[in-house]
Amino acid sequence: MSSRAAARRRTDRIATVFSIAMTGIVLLMLASILWTLISHGIRGLSWQVIVRPMGPPGSDAGLANAIVGSLIQTGVALLLATPIGLGCGIYLAEYGAGNRFASAVRFVSDVLLSAPSILIGLFVYLVLVAPTGRFSGFAGSVALAILAVPIIVRTTEDMLRLVPVSMREAGAALGATRWRVTLSLSLRAARPGVLTGILLAVARMSGETAPLLFTSLGNANWSFDLSRPMASMPLAIYQYAGAAYEDWVQLAWTGAMLVTLGVLAINIVVRFGFGRTKA
Amino acid sequence: MTHDRDASSLGRHSRSDQIFQILLACCAAAVLLTLGGLVLTMAFGGTRAFETFGPGFVWHNVWNPVSNTYGALAPLFGTLITTIIGVALALPLAFGTAFWLTTMAPPRIGEIVGTAVQLLAAVPSIIFGMWGLFVIKPIMARDIQPFLTHHLGHVPVVRQIVHGAPFGYGLMTGGIVLAVMITPFIAAVMRDVFMATPPMLRESAFGLGATRWEVMRQVTLPWSRAGVIGGIVLGMGRALGETMAVTFVIGDSNRIGWSLFAPANTVASLIALEFPESPAGSIKLASLLALGFILMLLSFASLAVARLLLRERTA
């Protein structure tokens, strides 16, 4: 009897040690990634990185044009994705109960959310780049927007569902139309959560590389024209990380550090700034 | 009179409401059309590959831009093996983390560790690729591979698996990077479904004198099995389609071999690497699109399974 109890305790202790070890390994991986990024990246950090554009090796190049390109493309993508994502999310939450069309849309949005991002790049290439014969920043924005929409849809729907029905009823009782109730009451009540979704979409877009490979292509010079190839941080990192020149690799690290810290900062703000929300 | 006014105001209301609803439905339809367009363009673009090479495209082990013959087997094999390695390595990591977070973690520390794991999930995939290239690859080339070839190099079957020049590229390195990448996703789902186990059940088991492991093994796991599998499949779907994290460390070779340490390719890495050299209208581009179509089907299937399993418990 006591030997059996001892065996059970031993098994439990093994499981405990195992789970602590596994948690430790996961934390170690995160630490290793951050340490690698910061220790490599900080060496190349200077004003030059954010002031000078990309350039040939040994030319005191920076990443300024890639930073600006990323901002432009992410901004345009957000302008495209936010109304569609919000509209779709509102539709699913407010009109989508027991509706076949809505459940199909919900499923499809989930499929898009987990679709391999490189395929989104291929799709936009076939639809926007191949017919016009030209890689463009706009095509890159569209590809990023396709990534962002399902994130916004998901959080918008989830957050609207948390708004109590009594609030909608109160609005309706005051004689407000359904769209007024939805926009001025439900959406306003759900605003922090909806904003969370949009911010998470921004974070996701700013690190994505694969959808941009075949759409905005990248550009070594300043590029502000959305109808031409445009530089971006992830593409610059991809190009420079595999290069044989030391200063290019250094720039890739610094860029990777900047992007990652930016993305993590958004995630931390979302987690602590808006209270605890599941996303 | 009042009745009339009510009716007219109701009419006006319902018209503006109708417009609103139609606008929203258009947004929803746009999402539907996007995926439809994605699947259809991929399928149409890929038809030429299937016409030229027949259904054998799927299982032919050749990828030769010189003779212009293409088959999907090598990249599909690479995708399959890296995904299996990734899930197999991520599983204990994710389970251990979720187990610790839900049953042992002191609240404050658990909160911090939970956040850290979430942050790992937010790291862009290209960063995992760089980290794999500059941290994991050298470790594989310098330590793991020489160690394995030295100790297992003469064992009959295992020899084939560890065989290869110590470059550090290959299926194993890709699988390891994928594992680190998908662990936080699987862990997050596992934590949620473990938490969803009715506390009454767990506390009853504890009351009967069960240890933490016994409660996990005999109460929580059976209760949340569908959700756990759903989480694993979700992670698998991510690993299947991942591009950047793998492209850096896979080695770019379209050969099928026994060795896990020889350069290879996955569907996604092959598309990323070869697309720039595939002119519009070429049979090579068609083959890449056909590969993309197959990948889309795989990703679609894994998501459908995951949703089915995850709904069972939450609904």
Side-chain angles (χ1 to χ4, degrees), chain B:
Chain B
M1 264 333 256
T2 44
H3 179 80
D4 271 348
R5 212 179 60 200
D6 267 4
S8 77
S9 81
L10 202 67
R12 184 174 57 82
H13 283 189
S14 73
R15 210 172 306 129
S16 65
D17 274 346
Q18 257 169 8
I19 295 171
F20 183 60
Q21 189 175 349
I22 288 170
L23 274 176
L24 295 181
C26 286
C27 294
V31 173
L32 216 56
L33 289 177
T34 305
L35 185 78
L38 201 154
V39 174
L40 284 181
T41 46
M42 219 70 78
F44 277 126
T47 5
R48 255 191 73 210
F50 284 105
E51 273 167 10
T52 316
F53 305 116
F57 174 75
V58 179
W59 61 79
H60 274 165
N61 177 18
V62 56
W63 190 273
N64 191 342
V66 181
S67 67
N68 234 1
T69 34
Y70 304 99
L73 194 65
L76 282 178
F77 175 80
T79 297
L80 198 73
I81 301 294
T82 49
T83 303
I84 291 174
I85 295 174
V87 171
L89 293 177
L91 203 53
L93 289 172
F95 174 75
T97 308
F99 185 28
W100 186 80
L101 281 174
T102 48
T103 57
M104 291 172 229
R108 294 280 314 256
I109 302 176
E111 181 107 343
I112 296 170
V113 172
T115 307
V117 174
Q118 293 287 343
L119 287 185
L120 186 59
V123 171
S125 62
I126 188 171
I127 306 300
F128 284 100
M130 280 183 84
W131 177 72
L133 181 64
F134 287 90
V135 176
I136 300 295
K137 196 207 82 171
I139 294 176
M140 298 296 282
R142 205 179 47 224
D143 304 318
I144 310 277
Q145 272 188 271
F147 176 84
L148 288 178
T149 30
H150 185 257
H151 290 275
L152 302 171
H154 45 270
V155 185
V157 179
V158 186
R159 186 175 59 198
Q160 304 294 321
I161 296 175
V162 301
H163 176 79
F167 293 135
Y169 292 105
L171 296 169
M172 192 49 128
T173 316
I176 291 174
V177 174
L178 282 179
V180 178
M181 215 187 101
I182 63 176
T183 295
F185 289 93
I186 304 180
V189 176
M190 281 188 178
R191 188 181 64 165
D192 288 352
V193 294
F194 289 169
M195 297 278 239
T197 312
M200 186 92 83
L201 283 180
R202 296 169 57 183
E203 276 156 28
S204 312
F206 279 125
L208 290 171
T211 61
R212 274 193 296 233
W213 169 246
E214 284 162 350
V215 172
M216 172 53 76
R217 178 79 190 73
Q218 289 163 22
V219 179
T220 311
L221 264 184
W223 175 269
S224 54
R225 191 174 49 212
V228 167
I229 298 174
I232 296 168
V233 178
L234 216 60
M236 200 181 85
R238 270 203 103 75
L240 276 177
E242 180 46 45
T243 313
M244 302 321 291
V246 175
T247 306
F248 275 96
V249 294
I250 194 73
D252 189 17
S253 157
N254 297 303
R255 228 170 274 155
I256 297 182
W258 285 105
S259 176
L260 296 180
F261 298 92
N265 249 333
T266 67
V267 173
S269 74
L270 182 72
I271 295 176
L273 291 166
E274 305 242 328
F275 181 87
E277 291 117 51
S278 311
S282 66
I283 187 71
K284 190 175 178 190
L285 183 65
S287 302
L288 287 178
L289 292 174
L291 273 177
F293 180 66
I294 297 172
L295 184 61
M296 191 68 219
L297 291 185
L298 289 175
S299 145
F300 184 84
S302 67
L303 180 83
V305 171
R307 262 180 69 110
L308 205 70
L309 290 167
L310 283 170
R311 184 152 35 179
E312 238 166 68
R313 269 297 163 227
T314 47

Side-chain angles (χ1 to χ4, degrees), chain A residues 6-86:
Chain A
R8 287 175 55 201
R9 262 204 303 280
R10 203 175 323 121
T11 317
D12 186 58
R13 200 157 309 142
I14 293 170
T16 305
V17 170
F18 166 81
S19 93
I20 291 173
M22 292 299 128
T23 312
I25 292 177
V26 172
L27 292 180
L28 197 72
M29 295 295 168
L30 177 66
S32 165
I33 290 174
L34 291 181
W35 169 247
T36 314
L37 274 177
I38 292 174
S39 66
H40 283 81
I42 206 131
R43 260 179 263 152
L45 196 63
S46 65
W47 280 113
Q48 177 193 318
V49 174
I50 53 171
V51 174
R52 305 229 338 132
M54 293 159 72
S59 70
D60 291 335
L63 291 167
N65 61 327
I67 294 173
V68 171
S70 267
L71 289 177
I72 294 176
Q73 285 172 88
T74 310
V76 172
L78 204 60
L79 286 181
L80 294 170
T82 307
I84 296 178
L86 281 182

Side-chain angles (χ1 to χ4, degrees), chain A residues 257-277:
Chain A
M257 179 182 78
L258 292 176
V259 168
T260 309
L261 293 184
V263 168
L264 294 188
I266 294 179
N267 275 274
I268 289 172
V269 165
V270 162
R271 268 185 87 81
F272 296 106
F274 294 123
R276 290 180 52 85
T277 40

